[in-house]
Amino acid sequence: MITQRMVCERTSLGIEFPFFGQVIQKPFPLILSMIYSFYYVLGVFADMKLEVKDLYKNFGDKQVLQGVDFSVESGTALGLLGRNGAGKTTAIRIIMGVFGGEGEVLLDGKSINRREINFGYLPEERGLYPKKKISEQLTYFGMLRGMSKKNAKESVLSWLDRLEMTQYADARLDTLSKGNQQKIQLACALVTDPDIIILDEPFSGLDPVNAMLLKGVVAEVIKKGRILLFSSHMMNYVEEFCEKIAIMRDGKVVLEGKIKDIKRSTDRKKLVIASPEAPKLASAIGERLADYIACKEVQGDHVAVCLRAEGHKVKFISAMAALGIDFDGVQVFEPTLQDIFVKYTEV
């Protein structure tokens, strides 16, 4: 199992520091911090585009990725979706350089240099030190990823305050609830103000209040112009934050694009009519407007109708208004993101 701790330890200048605290005695974090500062001053990270092109990966005889392509730009979030085993986590780990694969990972059209890019990763699995004080290990990971000790401590305190966890700064991680441990892992992912942020099931274990808190943090990250990869099975959150999605199945991307465009590309012949007299309206439509419709159904105080042709919408609505039965509004039915997910991931 690859954990958050292992990712940090393996990707900081390619150096492993397996023992807690050893990094403090190494010069590399200060050098990396200077590199980050230099690039930020030049504006190198201001507008970025991350692209994954024709990605393949095998584990033995098992083909895990088969030509995966997707892209995401600064200030936007991409929902990387798929059922368990679709290849999402493998693609994420190749992007971060945890292990290799065939194909290309590009940043602004050039092969990504992971020593110049600051990643923030929230894995689905718990990966921090359960017996260590929270503030100490968050500072450790900040330094491991290039921050000075002073800056790391300041950032840790700031994120603990933002996530309403200041009172747990000196607590051990294993004394916290599942939801609060998730918030600490989020703080670990964001403590270095990363350029590319990858959140894998970030809302797991959170109660509604903490979910609202996390929603605010995610919105702030996007507003700051960071690149965000968001992987979750909670479609309501994906739809709220992500402009684009890429749906994976069996190691391939089977659908990619803007959510609104995907929805508009679906069949537009189904209408939903809100009416306080829904049963009466449905009956009248069936009797007097049968030439326009292929089916109808009463759904509470709504009537759903399927038109025979998309071009019938205006004529149908005019004819329905002439029936003299009260209705409050008409809208074209659009599938939910969950409907789209199920359609493209069914075996």
Side-chain angles (χ1 to χ4, degrees), residues 166-221:
T166 302
Q167 66 270 37
Y168 300 110
D170 294 325
R172 291 186 345 190
L173 187 71
D174 60 2
T175 64
L176 272 57
S177 66
K178 180 180 178 181
N180 282 338
Q181 287 187 33
Q182 183 77 342
K183 290 164 71 176
I184 295 301
Q185 293 215 149
L186 177 65
C188 187
L190 299 177
V191 71
T192 58
D193 193 21
D195 313 295
I196 299 173
I197 299 159
I198 302 172
L199 305 180
D200 194 351
E201 294 293 352
F203 291 92
S204 175
L206 297 182
D207 60 42
V209 173
N210 281 324
M212 286 291 292
L213 182 65
L214 179 53
K215 283 168 63 176
V217 170
V218 172
E220 289 169 13
V221 164

Side-chain angles (χ1 to χ4, degrees), residues 260-271:
K260 65 178 182 180
D261 293 340
I262 292 170
K263 288 188 173 186
R264 287 197 63 83
S265 69
T266 60
D267 188 348
R268 310 286 291 175
K269 293 186 291 186
K270 186 174 181 179
L271 303 180

